[in-house]
Amino acid sequence: KAGVTQTPRYLIKTRGQQVTLSCSPISGHRSVSWYQQTPGQGLQFLFEYFSETQRNKGNFPGRFSGRQFSNSRSEMNVSTLELGDSALYLCASSRLAGGPGTDTQYFGPGTRLTVL
Amino acid sequence: GESVGLHLPTLSVQEGDNSIINCAYSNSASDYFIWYKQESGKGPQFIIDIRSNMDKRQGQRVTVLLNKTVKHLSLQIAATQPGDSAVYFCAENRNNATGNMLTFGGGTRLMVKP
């Protein structure tokens, strides 16, 4: 069974640009969560999608958005990039909704975003 | 604010010894805790979890202990191997207004000396 895949693996953008990252969950998984990982702030929850609906959202500005498609694939978008958005963006999938207390989350390898 | 944190940023152990990684949490309402292992270039990998109605749970070579009185969580790895070298994160599940979400600690790097 293939794991969670994320594309692209590496990305370089400049300030002010926007970026779209993609996540394909494990087959049969309908929940996708996104996290940002930085050396200073660690791993922080961005949002969770289930059945094309955002179920939960962390404490990030509106520049961070996401969506989920009918095949459970998810994208996240960051507009008007800032230097501080440089991070590893991870997505995790699980079969059920409701977050990690409900079902085990499996993480992808992440997308390394560098903002210059 | 409330947070999940780790006491030791780096832990160095000899191959074959037991490792103990500690974590403190501050939200007494957290009901579920997870340990993840993250190797270089990879995403976090689930190791073991424990619910707040338990104080101990064992897996293969790993044991998680939960002390709710002092809000402390630990991960014990028996007979540590070079392949165990990684960064280990504890995470607590918090229930906010819209659902559950994981809050991670800062991570501890485990280095295994051959």
Side-chain angles (χ1 to χ4, degrees), chain A residues 2 14 19 23 26 29 33-34 36 42 44 50 54 60 65 79 95 98 104 108:
Chain A
T14 56
V19 67
C23 171
I26 292 172
H29 286 196
S33 296
W34 288 90
Q36 181 196 65
Q44 293 183 288
F50 182 84
Q54 186 181 92
F60 277 81
S65 63
S79 62
R95 287 182 303 114
T104 302

Side-chain angles (χ1 to χ4, degrees), chain B residues 11 13-21 37 47-48 56-65 74-85 88 110 112:
Chain B
L11 177 64
V13 300
Q14 203 69 39
E15 181 179 357
D17 287 352
N18 297 332
S19 303
I20 299 176
I21 301 172
K37 171 187 180 184
I47 301 174
I48 192 168
K56 179 179 180 179
R57 189 159 189 231
Q58 288 184 295
Q60 187 176 10
R61 284 201 306 118
V62 294
T63 301
V64 55
L65 299 177
S74 69
L75 175 70
Q76 300 179 358
I77 304 174
T80 312
Q81 302 169 0
D84 295 327
S85 294
Y88 290 80
L110 176 65
V112 182

Side-chain angles (χ1 to χ4, degrees), chain A residues 46-111:
Chain A
L46 281 156
F47 26 65
E48 180 198 4
Y49 284 88
F50 182 84
S51 291
E52 304 177 63
T53 302
Q54 186 181 92
R55 286 182 50 90
N56 204 358
K57 190 176 189 302
N59 189 27
F60 277 81
R63 300 185 297 108
F64 292 82
S65 63
R67 59 177 175 167
Q68 187 179 35
F69 302 94
S70 58
N71 61 357
S72 296
R73 189 177 70 86
S74 177
E75 290 181 345
M76 69 162 282
N77 184 278
V78 187
S79 62
T80 318
L81 283 166
E82 301 176 0
L83 294 179
D85 296 333
S86 294
L88 180 68
Y89 289 89
L90 293 156
C91 84
S93 76
S94 61
R95 287 182 303 114
L96 305 174
T102 308
D103 192 22
T104 302
Q105 289 191 327
Y106 296 88
F107 281 83
T111 293

Side-chain angles (χ1 to χ4, degrees), chain B residues 32-71:
Chain B
Y32 178 64
F33 303 86
I34 312 170
W35 281 100
Y36 283 95
K37 171 187 180 184
Q38 187 173 24
E39 298 173 280
S40 180
K42 297 182 180 179
Q45 175 188 357
F46 173 90
I47 301 174
I48 192 168
D49 58 0
I50 188 168
R51 297 200 177 271
S52 59
N53 61 353
M54 304 171 67
D55 53 19
K56 179 179 180 179
R57 189 159 189 231
Q58 288 184 295
Q60 187 176 10
R61 284 201 306 118
V62 294
T63 301
V64 55
L65 299 177
L66 176 63
N67 185 330
K68 293 181 286 292
T69 303
V70 295
K71 300 192 187 78

Side-chain angles (χ1 to χ4, degrees), chain B residues 68-110:
Chain B
K68 293 181 286 292
T69 303
V70 295
K71 300 192 187 78
H72 185 266
L73 190 69
S74 69
L75 175 70
Q76 300 179 358
I77 304 174
T80 312
Q81 302 169 0
D84 295 327
S85 294
V87 177
Y88 290 80
F89 295 94
C90 65
E92 63 177 317
N93 184 54
R94 298 184 182 180
N95 199 310
N96 66 9
T98 54
N100 295 308
M101 57 179 281
L102 278 180
T103 299
F104 285 82
T108 292
R109 182 174 300 280
L110 176 65

